[in-house]
Amino acid sequence: MARVTIVNDNPEFLELVHDILEDDRYDATAIDGDQDDAFERILESRPDVLMIDLRLGTEGTHGWEIAKQVRRAPGLDDVPVLVCSADTLALEEIQSELAATPRVEALTKPFSVDDLTNAIDRLLANPAAR
């Protein structure tokens, strides 16, 4: 069963997505991205897919910066990343960087359960280039 780590600053969103993924076919871990130990908790979760909110309650694209930091960690350099945000302008601002980064997709909130699981399945099906 694939491990999906969900990082968001909204407790209701975390609970909802966690329950959806657990009820589907994934082993889900929910992490509050505003906590001081969020990065360490992400590393400990050893995700097969990292689903991360772009904003995480701070200005700028803090979630994308954390995702890039996770990918610099030993053993996680090719972890697929699903960046989510309701801020379409912020997603557009980093679109070229996202497109140039292997095994990364973006989802605009709100999205359907099918959109979510299809994106995760695509990321899992796309093997890392070695």
Side-chain angles (χ1 to χ4, degrees):
M1 184 178 305
R3 292 180 313 275
V4 179
T5 298
I6 311 144
V7 183
N8 199 287
D9 59 346
N10 181 310
E12 292 84 16
F13 180 88
L14 275 175
E15 183 178 349
L16 176 64
V17 173
H18 178 272
D19 290 349
I20 288 168
L21 294 180
E22 283 281 330
D23 285 345
D24 199 345
R25 59 184 174 273
Y26 308 102
D27 178 15
T29 300
I31 296 173
D32 181 343
D34 283 346
Q35 297 299 313
D36 292 338
D37 65 344
F39 178 72
E40 290 79 15
R41 293 188 58 211
I42 294 167
L43 297 182
E44 289 170 5
S45 73
R46 304 301 299 171
D48 293 315
V49 174
L50 173 61
M51 177 183 177
I52 192 161
D53 187 42
L54 187 61
R55 290 284 185 200
L56 294 178
T58 62
E59 294 217 12
T61 54
H62 187 61
W64 177 234
E65 296 306 318
I66 291 173
K68 292 189 296 187
Q69 186 179 4
V70 167
R71 279 196 154 180
R72 289 190 293 268
L76 293 174
D77 55 320
D78 62 355
V79 66
V81 176
L82 180 58
V83 179
C84 302
S85 185
D87 188 340
T88 56
L89 292 177
L91 281 173
E92 286 175 16
E93 288 175 8
I94 65 167
Q95 183 55 44
S96 62
E97 187 176 0
L98 294 176
T101 307
R103 302 186 83 196
V104 172
E105 286 203 28
L107 272 181
T108 303
K109 295 176 189 173
F111 48 79
S112 71
V113 172
D114 286 342
D115 291 339
L116 174 60
T117 57
N118 288 339
I120 291 170
D121 289 344
R122 279 192 305 274
L123 287 166
L124 289 168
N126 182 10
R130 294 258 178 212

